[in-house]
Amino acid sequence: MSQEPLDIVYDIPDDIVVEDRHILAVLVDNEFGVLNRVTGLFSARGYNIESLTVAEVDAKKHLSRITVVTRGSSAKIKHIIALLERMIPIYKVHDLTVESPFVERELALVKVVGSGDERMEALRIADIFRARPVDTTTESFVFEITGTNDKVNSFIDLMRPLGLVEICRTGVASVARGKKGI
């Protein structure tokens, strides 16, 4: 006797808000205190920053780009963007996640200590992930891995049982695809 597959319907209550990951690119004056004001805006409202990168992008105009990765509902992200756009040293705010296709990369240095089979397995996994050893001793490796947040997380998860002892991550750098820039 065969049974028909059941169609399962999940009712999500109206009070549950889906929080998606968003990458915000913020073009600001490269001056003292701007980064503090931007991060203060997030912390004052209880919004978490998952990743933060900052660098000068135009020395002549003294402009820096802040890339912020955060989670929130559409309404929450729109509120954050509106608040950021009102700050005086900010020129542009873009939610790369919704505006256009984008490229995202992160760099991590991952230290693994081990010997024997664990050491060989760490090298094999690193090769699969295209991570390269940038420091090697008889007891340890430091691997450099570049890729999406998910790729870096997967690599780190596989290194944990092999002797992971330290991680250093740069945070997300992201840019919109195509010919248009911010």
Side-chain angles (χ1 to χ4, degrees):
M1 174 195 264
S2 67
Q3 290 184 330
E4 293 290 320
L6 297 175
D7 289 332
I8 300 173
V9 176
Y10 295 100
D11 288 326
I12 300 174
D14 292 336
D15 60 340
I16 301 286
V17 177
V18 177
E19 293 200 341
D20 294 321
R21 182 173 178 264
H22 290 263
I23 300 174
L24 305 178
V26 186
L27 196 60
V28 301
D29 279 336
N30 184 14
E31 62 184 38
F32 175 79
V34 174
L35 178 61
N36 189 38
R37 290 175 63 193
V38 169
T39 57
L41 181 145
F42 280 80
S43 65
R45 286 154 185 84
Y47 300 154
N48 188 40
I49 295 175
E50 291 185 5
S51 173
L52 178 70
T53 57
V54 177
E56 185 175 61
V57 293
D58 190 330
K60 288 182 181 179
K61 295 180 182 176
H62 303 288
L63 296 177
S64 287
R65 179 181 174 135
I66 302 172
T67 304
V68 180
V69 179
T70 190
R71 288 193 181 272
S73 64
S74 295
K76 186 176 176 180
I77 298 302
K78 286 178 185 174
H79 185 241
I80 291 171
I81 291 170
L83 291 170
L84 286 170
E85 286 175 335
R86 283 187 273 201
M87 293 177 76
I88 295 300
I90 292 180
Y91 293 98
K92 293 181 184 178
V93 181
H94 292 274
D95 184 351
L96 297 176
T97 318
V98 298
E99 290 181 14
S100 63
F102 62 93
V103 177
E104 165 189 354
R105 292 293 180 268
E106 182 176 4
L107 168 73
L109 298 175
V110 180
K111 185 186 290 186
V112 180
V113 174
S115 60
D117 291 340
E118 286 86 11
R119 188 172 171 82
M120 294 307 295
E121 182 67 3
L123 279 172
R124 189 183 69 74
I125 291 171
D127 187 50
I128 292 168
F129 278 81
R130 294 190 179 120
R132 63 186 192 100
V134 291
D135 183 63
T136 304
T137 70
T138 56
E139 296 101 17
S140 69
F141 291 111
V142 175
F143 295 108
E144 172 187 270
I145 183 166
T146 305
T148 64
N149 185 267
D150 290 341
K151 177 184 175 183
V152 172
N153 287 338
S154 295
F155 179 72
I156 289 168
D157 288 343
L158 290 171
M159 289 295 138
R160 286 187 198 286
L162 301 175
L164 177 76
V165 294
E166 190 173 355
I167 304 165
C168 180
R169 298 175 79 154
T170 61
V172 173
S174 187
V175 66
R177 294 182 65 205
K179 64 182 181 177
K180 191 175 175 184
I182 68 165

